[in-house]
């Protein structure tokens, strides 16, 4: 089939079209399609297909031990990677501009180099002087990191090939890297894809661990997202709410480890500090005994995490009531409100409702339902909940409270932080945590516990 020399490529998802259109059929993005001169098959220029050569197929069994991981020494980072970087692997670290990606990577490289590893940091965004200034401010100027400032992939690979293979190479950021083999402008999907592919190939060929830094676009995707995400072995997102100094590193894909781990950092004047006990951080200011707050005993990855959930239920003004939620799913809030109304008879549906997760954390666990419901009920009734109590459990549409996994881990963390009671689903067992357990079977029992009045709208 003859191919035209120009193709139209979606800059968001990488889909190739043979004519321009305003909307990409593949991802639905508007105005994302641009013309690119040469078609860019992964790995470089178009070649004539050669005659195939047979290769041996082998079994799954191996005598090789698990590869020794390269731990950087930044504990939270290593844990999210699954215990350190795997030799020959490629890792993508994505995040909004300014969230602290460069800071994190520089710290990880410096720690690795200080412990005797060889680390290379290639900055495509900042000049050498800027990186040095930052390193100086963070007290890392003495770390033997090899620093370079370059954007051309051929220059980078030639430089890397010259010396001994480094243990870790970081490229900051992948959007600035371009190859002279393509006419497309730097930052276009063809350039990002080709450069990433070359770097991944370099990692596989030499055994160096490669870290790619990538920016996230407005709608929360790494620019040129799918094209890079499937190339690399692991994808980590670095996120933080504006106005909070906490930063959370989250694995969204990991071929060598779990994807539900999070690492918690705090941005300080001297770089990122690891937060060893994140529960203390997300508990907010627990001194006030005001209505509308409940502590959720959650699990993030392998770690228990206590977070304060705050709710405000207020008389609605004109029109339809307002619902606003930060750190939780808006659909989930609507569901909980509906269940509280129709199963518990709370009568909250005509009120404005605001829900906030303290500390800028985002919660995805269904087990947070019970804590959110408790906070809502407490605010609606104007009665504070007992201060020494944590909550967890999933609420079903029938109004029943369903059990949550790893109850013991949650309760032990709560006990460690000085809580003395927990409101939990039925059949929750816990030996040795020393907490007083109050089991609730349905939202009606929760309302009773919180001392809330049952409204007229009760349909049960
Ligand atoms: P940076 O790592 O440059 O972000 P990214 O690479 O993700 O774009 O971090 C930028 C922000 O971090 C900047 O707004 C200032 C802040 N910062 C500190 O607060 N303390 C520090 O020690 C450093 C290095 C940065
Ligand atoms: Mg940066």
């Amino acid at each position: 089939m003859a191919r035209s020399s120009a193709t139209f490529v979606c800059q968001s998802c990488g889909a190739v079209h043979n004519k321009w259109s305003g909307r990409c059929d593949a991802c639905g993005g508007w105005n994302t399609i641009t013309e690119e001169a040469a078609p860019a098959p992964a790995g470089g220029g178009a070649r004539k297909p050669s005659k195939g050569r047979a290769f041996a197929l082998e079994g799954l069994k191996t005598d090789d031990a698990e590869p020794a991981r390269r731990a950087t020494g930044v504990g939270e980072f290593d844990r999210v990677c699954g215990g350190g970087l795997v030799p020959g692997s490629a890792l993508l670290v994505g995040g909004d501009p300014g969230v602290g990606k460069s800071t994190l990577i520089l710290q990880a490289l410096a720690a690795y180099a200080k412990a005797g590893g060889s680390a290379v940091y290639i900055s495509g965004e900042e000049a050498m002087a800027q990186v040095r200034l930052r390193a100086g401010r963070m007290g890392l100027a003495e770390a033997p990191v090899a620093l370079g400032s370059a954007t051309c992939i051929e220059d980078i690979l030639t430089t890397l090939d010259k010396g001994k293979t480094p243990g870790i190479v970081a490229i900051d950021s992948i959007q600035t890297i371009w190859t002279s083999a393509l006419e497309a402008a730097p930052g276009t999907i063809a350039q990002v894809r080709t450069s990433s592919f070359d770097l991944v190939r370099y990692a596989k060929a030499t055994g160096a661990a490669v870290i790619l830094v990538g920016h996230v676009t407005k709608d929360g995707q790494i620019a040129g997202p799918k094209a890079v995400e499937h190339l690399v072995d692991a994808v980590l997102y670095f996120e933080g709410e504006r106005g909070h100094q906490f930063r959370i590193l989250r694995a969204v894909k990991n071929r060598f480890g779990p994807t539900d781990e999070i690492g918690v950092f705090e941005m300080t004047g001297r770089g990122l500090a690891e937060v060893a006990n994140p529960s203390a951080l997300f508990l907010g200011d627990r001194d006030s005994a005001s209505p509308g707050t409940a502590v959720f005993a959650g699990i993030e990855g392998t770690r228990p995490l206590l977070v304060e959930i705050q709710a405000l239920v207020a008389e609605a003004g004109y029109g339809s009531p307002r619902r606003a939620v930060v750190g939780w799913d808006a659909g989930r809030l609507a569901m909980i409100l509906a269940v509280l109304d129709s199963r518990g008879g709370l009568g909250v549906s005509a009120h404005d409702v605001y829900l906030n997760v303290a500390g800028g954390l985002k919660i995805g666990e269904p087990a947070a339902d019970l804590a959110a419901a408790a906070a809502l009920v407490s605010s609606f009734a104007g009665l504070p909940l007992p201060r020494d109590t944590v909550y967890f459990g999933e609420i079903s549409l029938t109004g029943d409270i369903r059990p949550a996994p790893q109850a013991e881990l949650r309760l032990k963390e709560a006990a460690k932080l000085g809580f003395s009671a927990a409101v939990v689903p039925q059949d929750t067992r816990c030996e040795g945590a020393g907490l007083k357990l109050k089991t609730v079977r349905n939202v009606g029992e929760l309302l009773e516990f919180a001392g809330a009045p049952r409204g007229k709208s009760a349909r049960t």
Side-chain angles (χ1 to χ4, degrees), residues 96-103 134 137-138 215 267-271:
D96 290 327
V99 73
K101 299 180 296 296
S102 305
T103 310
R134 182 204 297 259
R137 197 147 46 85
M138 285 159 54
H215 289 295
M267 185 59 96
T268 70
R270 286 171 56 85

Side-chain angles (χ1 to χ4, degrees), residues 105-116:
I105 297 306
L106 190 59
Q107 258 175 273
L109 290 184
Y112 182 69
K114 265 188 190 159

Side-chain angles (χ1 to χ4, degrees), residues 98 100-103 121 125-126 134 172-173 213 215:
K101 299 180 296 296
S102 305
T103 310
Y121 182 77
E125 292 186 348
E126 292 165 286
R134 182 204 297 259
D172 187 3
S173 70
V213 174
H215 289 295

Side-chain angles (χ1 to χ4, degrees), residues 77 80-81 85 89-95 101 105 171 173-175 192 196 200 210-216 221-238 249-253:
F77 178 79
V80 177
C81 296
L85 294 161
S89 73
L91 170 77
L92 176 67
V93 178
K101 299 180 296 296
I105 297 306
I171 309 289
S173 70
I174 190 66
Q175 274 91 17
V192 169
S196 306
V200 171
V210 171
I211 301 175
L212 307 176
V213 174
H215 289 295
V216 162
Q221 291 186 312
I222 292 181
K226 299 290 172 281
V228 182
E229 285 192 6
H230 82 262
L231 281 178
V232 295
D233 299 300
V235 180
L236 310 184
Y237 272 75
F238 201 37
L249 187 67
R250 196 184 286 278
V252 293
K253 161 182 172 177

Side-chain angles (χ1 to χ4, degrees), residues 50 96 115 123 143 176 186 188 210-211 230 244 260 297 303 315 322 331 340 400 417 435 442 444 454:
S50 62
D96 290 327
S123 177
T176 57
T188 54
V210 171
I211 301 175
H230 82 262
H244 287 291
D260 50 4
R303 271 195 309 188
E315 286 288 340
R322 265 186 70 81
L340 285 174
D400 294 333
L417 281 149
L435 258 73
N442 50 46
R454 310 284 287 253

